[in-house]
Amino acid sequence: MSRVAVIIIALSFAAAAAGGITEGGSDLFSLSGYNMFRYSMWGIEERDPTSGFDLYNRIELEPSVSDMLAAKLSFDTRFGFSVFDSLAGSWLSDDYTLKAVEVYGILRFSPEIYIAGGRFKLPFGYGYSRPGSDIPFYDRVMVASAPAFTAFGGTDLGMMLGTDLGPVDITLSYTNGTDSQADTTVSKQFTADVAASPAEWISLGGSAAVIGQPEMQPQESWSATGLSFYAYGDYPVFGGLTLNFEGEYMSLPWAGPAVDDMVNEPGGDYYFSLAGTHQVEMGMLTAIQPAVRLEMLSPPEQVQTGQTVPESDVSALDMCLNLHTGQRNTVQIGARSYSFQSGADGYTDVYVNWRMLF
């Protein structure tokens, strides 16, 4: 573990103990984020190692020059993670230190309207863009890291216009294309999101991402539009019990040109999660939150004319028990179970995670 990472993580622990960092008695500078320390037992037989500890750290800096001019910088650090390298035929380290996620400036014309320029999360896909500090599971939804989604969402470099008009929020962005495809041969990407809160306990929204590229010999021009519709909220039931719900449906077309004798089959994803937060007074334990989430991912496919579409759907069932010890600390005991339409053997990952906000 590098010295820089140790210093950053140590600062985050100190910030958590102090309840956050501010300077000058105002919002001229703030540091926030969270740490997650996890022990996992992997269900897939080929996994090496089959179990172990890992550490994830998110740092967010938000300096402000004035009420009009500000910036945001966020960084990820990971240790103990691995990924399967199909070429090497083995599991390799997937660690990194202070990897930039978002780096952008903000100019506010008023409290309701702003523009941003730099690298930011595209306003597409609530399951990806929602704050990671209060997800009632360790992992985000599967689709957030799937190629079908990253063709339309993720992070990118460009300009963004945001509005907060009371019950309705509108976000528009014009960017390079996506991080993985951004170059002079790919058309710029337009992304739009509209969200509304018809009641205090529920929010509804929809977003669209338009991608493509101009004509490039011998290929013709092409375009594709991803769509997302989502809802989330917290409904107070009685006493200290609150129902937390979240759901999203995505339409994800094939991100590429039409090819002779080939058919572009669209894909999609949907998920729904339900949790119940019950406030308690049991010493250090302040709330108990069981949660469950079901997701089905159908990747888009390019299939030869007359051939059967491959059975490539993947489903995941997440289950987690959250034990809150105050507003900044949560112990999570959970599992994710995978099933495959192709008939491949499913498996279940089990974990214990400590999440600490600062």
Side-chain angles (χ1 to χ4, degrees), residues 107-185:
L107 176 62
R108 291 193 174 275
F109 298 102
S110 70
E112 297 81 18
I113 302 175
Y114 71 89
I115 61 170
R119 187 177 193 253
F120 48 79
K121 286 186 176 182
L122 294 169
F124 179 79
Y126 181 76
Y128 172 81
S129 61
R130 65 154 296 172
S133 58
D134 63 349
I135 296 176
F137 311 93
Y138 179 88
D139 291 297
R140 291 185 180 273
V141 289
M142 284 191 302
V143 72
S145 57
F149 170 78
T150 54
F152 299 91
T155 56
D156 201 5
L157 188 67
M159 298 291 293
M160 178 167 59
L161 171 66
T163 66
D164 182 0
L165 305 177
V168 178
D169 297 336
I170 301 174
T171 308
L172 308 173
S173 70
Y174 188 59
T175 58
N176 273 347
T178 60
D179 276 354
S180 61
Q181 301 177 2
D183 58 37
T184 57
T185 64

Side-chain angles (χ1 to χ4, degrees), residues 123-337:
F124 179 79
Y126 181 76
Y128 172 81
S129 61
R130 65 154 296 172
S133 58
D134 63 349
I135 296 176
F137 311 93
Y138 179 88
D139 291 297
R140 291 185 180 273
V141 289
M142 284 191 302
V143 72
S145 57
F149 170 78
T150 54
F152 299 91
T155 56
D156 201 5
L157 188 67
M159 298 291 293
M160 178 167 59
L161 171 66
T163 66
D164 182 0
L165 305 177
V168 178
D169 297 336
I170 301 174
T171 308
L172 308 173
S173 70
Y174 188 59
T175 58
N176 273 347
T178 60
D179 276 354
S180 61
Q181 301 177 2
D183 58 37
T184 57
T185 64
V186 176
S187 291
K188 301 297 183 285
Q189 176 172 337
F190 175 74
T191 314
D193 177 83
V194 179
S197 298
E200 290 185 359
W201 57 271
I202 187 172
S203 295
L204 308 172
S207 53
V210 182
I211 66 172
Q213 70 179 29
E215 183 173 354
M216 295 167 45
Q217 296 297 330
Q219 295 180 347
E220 297 182 357
S221 62
W222 64 271
S223 63
T225 301
L227 298 174
S228 165
F229 304 95
Y230 58 89
Y232 63 92
D234 302 295
Y235 184 75
V237 182
F238 57 83
L241 178 62
T242 301
L243 289 182
N244 320 109
F245 60 90
E246 177 183 335
E248 184 171 17
Y249 170 77
M250 288 187 189
S251 174
L252 302 169
W254 176 263
V259 179
D260 291 342
D261 298 324
M262 302 293 287
V263 178
N264 294 342
E265 294 288 343
D269 179 88
Y270 66 85
Y271 73 88
F272 180 77
S273 72
L274 182 65
T277 304
H278 181 56
Q279 305 295 326
V280 298
E281 295 181 3
M282 301 174 61
M284 292 180 59
L285 192 62
T286 58
I288 300 174
Q289 183 190 39
V292 62
R293 178 175 65 194
L294 177 63
E295 180 179 9
M296 177 68 73
L297 172 63
S298 299
E301 303 280 357
Q302 191 172 58
V303 184
Q304 188 170 5
T305 303
Q307 296 297 312
T308 303
V309 178
E311 296 181 339
S312 55
D313 292 3
V314 182
S315 64
L317 176 64
D318 286 279
M319 297 166 287
C320 190
L321 176 63
N322 295 266
L323 305 175
H324 299 276
T325 58
Q327 296 181 345
R328 295 183 176 274
N329 288 282
T330 304
V331 175
Q332 298 178 301
I333 305 170
R336 170 177 279 189
S337 182

